[in-house]
Amino acid sequence: MPVLLGIPVLMLTMVIQTTAFSRLPLLYGTADIVMLVILAWMLNDRVKHGWEWVIIAGLITSFVSGLPPLLPLVGYLMAAGLAYWLKKRIWQTPVLAMLFSTFLGTVMVQSLSLITLIIMGTEISLPIGYSLVIMPSALWNLILAVPVYTLVSEMVGWVYMRESDL
């Protein structure tokens, strides 16, 4: 059931990202709500089907994005892998792990996209891409990380109810 729930949740998240947050750029950077949702999902201790959500999110974003097919999937897998590693190895405080993985995940996903666009012949330099797109996107994502984490944690509580919660 949690895997099937991921499809409508991530599709709705993509709609919100492409309609609302794409219209609110900070310099040239925009928020990646889909990435924030999958990071928050992965960082929750009760979640058993995290990687499936990452794959669904990557495929949906690949379909909507103008980037080469499956490039968003690779970026999301890298960011989710970092979040999973942080959850298991380093931090027991999920909000701090969310902030750290949000920043590094944004830099990884956006850098992968920027390098791919440069290889494809887009006229943009690395320093300009980092200062006008990647860092503003990271700031946007950091601003939204805690509210998204809170909402996703509530959703996880509904999906993975404990017997004591009934």
Side-chain angles (χ1 to χ4, degrees):
M1 157 133 157
V3 175
L4 294 178
L5 177 66
I7 295 170
V9 167
L10 292 168
M11 288 180 87
L12 177 64
T13 305
M14 178 56 73
V15 168
I16 293 169
Q17 179 173 313
T18 57
T19 57
F21 285 99
S22 67
R23 308 273 188 258
L24 300 169
L26 182 63
L27 294 178
Y28 293 103
T30 57
D32 190 347
I33 305 299
V34 174
M35 184 189 72
L36 293 177
V37 168
I38 61 173
L39 291 178
W41 187 262
M42 289 292 291
L43 286 169
N44 200 295
D45 286 334
R46 295 167 79 179
V47 168
K48 298 175 185 75
H49 300 283
W51 292 107
E52 293 88 345
W53 277 51
V54 176
I55 292 168
I56 292 167
L59 293 174
I60 290 171
T61 305
S62 295
F63 183 72
V64 173
S65 173
L67 293 169
L70 303 181
L71 185 72
L73 175 62
V74 172
Y76 286 166
L77 284 170
M78 290 173 21
L82 171 69
Y84 184 76
W85 181 76
L86 285 173
K87 178 175 91 171
K88 293 293 181 192
R89 304 278 187 258
I90 296 179
W91 276 315
Q92 295 301 317
T93 309
V95 175
L96 288 177
M98 177 69 182
L99 292 171
F100 192 73
S101 61
T102 294
F103 180 76
L104 287 181
T106 301
V107 171
M108 286 189 309
V109 169
Q110 294 284 338
S111 296
L112 185 63
S113 299
L114 178 63
I115 291 168
T116 302
L117 290 172
I118 290 171
I119 290 171
M120 292 173 54
T122 304
E123 296 292 324
I124 188 169
S125 67
L126 280 175
I128 290 175
Y130 272 91
S131 62
L132 294 179
V133 178
I134 295 174
M135 288 301 125
S137 294
L139 179 60
W140 236 141
N141 286 342
L142 285 170
I143 290 169
L144 296 170
V146 173
V148 168
Y149 181 80
T150 304
L151 289 171
V152 170
S153 293
E154 285 295 317
M155 186 173 55
V156 167
W158 296 336
V159 172
Y160 293 103
M161 284 188 137
R162 295 182 186 136
E163 289 181 17
S164 61
D165 295 340
L166 297 175

